[in-house]
C-alpha cells in the first residue's frame, strides 16, 4: 500500500542522526506534549507515549536511553477502531530513571513523591537548534502532511493547550504565518501556504519530503499553465469562428437584399466569403489590407445589415 506523505515524513525524520543532548531533549519534550497521555492510578502518575509508527516510538526510546541511560519497555496494542491497526506504547513514571524528564520539560514540578502538574519549561526550546528539534518532535507526535496533489497543508493536532499556544506563538515569532483553530476538542496549528510548509519540513529535517513536494508543485504549475494555454487557444478559435460566422451572415443578408456596396466593402465581402474559417489577422495577411481597416469595413457591413432590419 502506498504510504502517505505524513508517513514518509515521519520515516525520514526517524532516520536522522542524533546530535546534541539539548536538541534531543527538545525533540523528546515536544513529542511528549504532542503525543503523551497522562494516566492516573492509585496515587501514581504515568506519562504514556504512543505512536502508530514503530520507528517513531523506537526513536523516542533511543533518545531516552541516550539522555537517561535507560530504554523503556515498549508494548504493542492492537486496535480495531476506526480500522484495525497497532499502537506502540511506552510508559514513563516519575520514579523511574527516565522520570527525571517529566520534571525537566515542566510536565511536573516538585520533588520525590510530592509533585504536581507544572508549566512548560520554555528554556528547553530556546537553545540554538532547539526550536527546529521541537518541530521535529511535534511532527513525529501529531503532525499531518496533506497530499500536495490535493492541498498544501501541514497540521499539528494537539490536545495539550499550553503547548499548542506555545508552538503557535513561536511560529509567529519566526515570521511564519501559522493559523490556529479548535477542532473536536483539539487544538490545530497549521499552514496552508506552500512556502511555510516547505520551511517547516526543512527546519525539522525532512528535506527529501520537501523536495518531493516542490517537484509536485512544479508539475502542477506546468500542467496549469498548459491548461490555461489550451483554454486560451480554444477560446480564440471559438472567437474566430463566431466572428467569421457573424460576418458571413451579415454579408449574405446584404447580398440577398441587393444592397449596393462600395468597392472597398465588396472587396471585404469577397475576402470573407472566400476564406470563411480564418481570423481577421490572417485575412489581413492574405489581402495586404491592415487589420484595422478590415475591422472597420466589417463593422460598417454590420451597421448596414442592422439598418435593413
Amino acid at each position: 500500500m502506498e504510504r502517505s506523505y505524513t508517513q514518509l515524513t515521519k520515516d525520514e525524520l526517524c532516520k536522522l542522526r542524533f546530535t546534541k543532548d539539548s536538541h534531543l531533549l527538545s525533540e523528546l519534550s515536544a513529542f511528549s506534549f504532542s503525543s503523551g497521555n497522562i494516566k492516573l492510578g492509585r496515587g501514581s502518575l504515568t506519562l504514556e507515549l504512543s505512536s502508530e509508527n514503530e520507528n517513531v516510538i523506537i526513536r523516542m526510546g533511543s533518545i531516552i536511553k541516550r539522555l537517561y541511560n535507560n530504554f523503556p519497555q515498549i508494548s504493542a496494542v492492537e486496535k480495531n477502531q476506526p480500522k484495525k491497526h497497532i499502537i506502540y506504547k511506552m510508559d514513563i513514571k516519575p520514579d523511574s530513571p527516565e522520570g527525571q524528564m517529566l520534571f525537566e520539560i515542566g510536565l511536573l514540578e516538585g520533588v520525590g513523591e510530592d509533585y504536581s502538574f507544572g508549566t512548560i519549561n520554555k528554556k528547553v526550546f530556546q537553545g540554538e537548534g532547539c526550536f527546529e528539534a521541537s518541530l521535529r518532535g511535534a511532527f513525529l507526535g501529531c503532525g499531518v502532511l496533506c497530499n500536495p496533489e490535493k492541498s498544501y497543508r501541514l497540521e499539528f493536532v494537539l490536545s495539550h493547550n499550553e503547548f499548542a499556544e506555545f508552538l503557535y506563538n513561536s511560529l509567529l515569532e519566526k515570521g511564519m504565518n501559522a493559523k490556529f483553530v479548535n477542532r473536536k476538542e483539539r487544538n490545530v496549528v497549521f499552514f496552508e501556504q506552500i512556502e511555510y510548509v516547505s520551511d517547516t519540513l526543512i527546519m525539522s529535517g525532512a528535506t527529501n519530503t520537501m523536495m518531493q513536494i516542490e517537484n509536485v508543485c512544479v508539475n502542477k504549475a506546468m500542467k496549469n499553465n498548459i491548461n490555461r494555454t489550451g483554454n486560451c487557444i480554444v477560446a480564440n478559435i471559438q472567437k474566430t469562428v463566431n466572428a467569421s460566422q457573424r460576418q458571413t451572415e451579415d454579408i449574405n443578408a446584404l447580398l440577398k437584399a441587393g444592397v449596393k456596396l462600395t468597392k472597398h466593402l465588396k472587396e471585404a465581402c469577397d475576402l470573407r466569403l472566400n476564406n470563411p474559417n480564418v481570423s481577421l489577422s490572417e485575412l489581413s495577411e492574405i489581402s495586404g489590407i491592415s487589420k484595422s481597416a478590415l475591422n472597420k469595413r466589417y463593422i460598417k457591413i454590420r451597421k448596414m445589415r442592422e439598418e435593413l432590419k
Side-chain angles (χ1 to χ4, degrees):
M1 186 175 76
E2 186 177 356
R3 298 180 71 76
S4 69
Y5 276 85
T6 299
Q7 293 170 322
L8 290 173
T9 305
K10 291 184 178 182
D11 287 344
E12 181 180 0
L13 294 178
C14 284
K15 294 177 183 178
L16 294 178
R17 292 182 178 180
F18 288 177
T19 52
K20 298 180 180 179
D21 285 359
S22 59
H23 295 173
L24 296 179
L25 181 59
S26 296
E27 181 178 336
L28 178 61
S29 177
F31 181 82
S32 299
F33 284 119
S34 60
S35 171
N37 178 39
I38 296 293
K39 298 191 300 183
L40 296 174
R42 298 174 179 174
S44 64
L45 175 150
T46 302
L47 174 65
E48 180 186 80
L49 301 180
S50 63
S51 176
E52 293 184 15
N53 189 315
E54 184 179 9
N55 293 327
V56 170
I57 211 69
I58 290 176
R59 179 178 177 85
M60 292 305 127
S62 299
I63 290 176
I64 291 173
K65 170 67 174 177
R66 163 84 170 261
L67 296 176
Y68 304 104
N69 199 32
N70 187 57
F71 197 105
Q73 183 176 354
I74 297 174
S75 60
V77 180
E78 186 173 298
K79 300 284 186 178
N80 293 318
Q81 296 295 333
K83 60 182 180 179
K84 191 173 183 179
H85 63 289
I86 296 176
I87 298 291
Y88 300 93
K89 300 180 179 181
M90 58 185 179
D91 292 340
I92 310 296
K93 297 180 181 294
D95 56 355
S96 65
E98 63 275 14
Q100 178 186 345
M101 171 194 84
L102 304 179
F103 299 92
E104 289 187 16
I105 68 177
L107 187 65
L108 298 179
E109 60 183 19
V111 292
E113 296 182 359
D114 184 17
Y115 54 79
S116 61
F117 291 114
T119 57
I120 292 176
N121 180 8
K122 296 180 181 179
K123 292 182 180 179
V124 170
F125 307 110
Q126 291 175 350
E128 182 181 354
C130 289
F131 177 72
E132 290 79 359
S134 70
L135 283 181
R136 178 162 57 252
F139 192 90
L140 288 173
C142 65
V144 178
L145 180 60
C146 295
N147 185 339
E149 292 282 0
K150 301 177 181 178
S151 172
Y152 299 132
R153 187 180 179 95
L154 185 151
E155 296 183 346
F156 297 97
V157 185
L158 300 140
S159 57
H160 194 285
N161 296 336
E162 187 184 1
F163 184 72
E165 292 178 5
F166 168 75
L167 178 61
Y168 173 66
N169 291 326
S170 298
L171 290 168
L172 293 182
E173 289 173 3
K174 298 287 183 180
M176 302 176 71
N177 189 22
K179 298 181 180 179
F180 190 106
V181 296
N182 296 111
R183 182 198 302 157
K184 296 180 179 179
E185 299 182 355
R186 295 291 183 97
N187 304 295
V188 183
V189 179
F190 67 98
F191 300 107
E192 290 182 309
Q193 294 108 323
I194 182 59
E195 60 267 31
Y196 297 123
V197 172
S198 295
D199 288 347
T200 303
L201 292 173
I202 291 173
M203 285 193 290
S204 64
T207 53
N208 290 336
T209 305
M210 182 277 296
M211 293 179 65
Q212 290 185 44
I213 290 178
E214 293 287 355
N215 287 335
V216 171
C217 293
V218 171
N219 291 334
K220 285 178 68 175
M222 291 178 62
K223 288 179 182 178
N224 290 337
N225 186 49
I226 291 172
N227 289 337
R228 283 194 296 270
T229 302
N231 291 337
C232 288
I233 292 173
V234 171
N236 289 333
I237 291 174
Q238 188 61 52
K239 185 178 179 180
T240 297
V241 170
N242 292 340
S244 174
Q245 183 178 359
R246 184 177 64 251
Q247 292 162 4
T248 301
E249 292 173 353
D250 292 342
I251 293 167
N252 287 332
L254 296 183
L255 294 177
K256 185 177 180 180
V259 176
K260 291 184 179 181
L261 302 172
T262 65
K263 179 183 176 182
H264 288 163
L265 291 181
K266 188 175 185 306
E267 184 180 17
C269 291
D270 292 339
L271 192 60
R272 172 51 74 197
L273 293 177
N274 291 330
N275 303 277
N277 298 317
V278 300
S279 66
L280 195 62
S281 298
E282 291 171 309
L283 285 180
S284 176
E285 293 178 5
I286 293 171
S287 63
I289 304 170
S290 71
K291 181 178 176 181
S292 176
L294 277 176
N295 189 48
K296 289 179 181 179
R297 295 180 192 184
Y298 290 126
I299 291 175
K300 176 64 176 176
I301 291 171
R302 155 69 45 160
K303 289 181 179 179
M304 292 174 68
R305 184 189 178 188
E306 292 295 332
E307 291 172 359
L308 286 178
K309 295 180 181 180

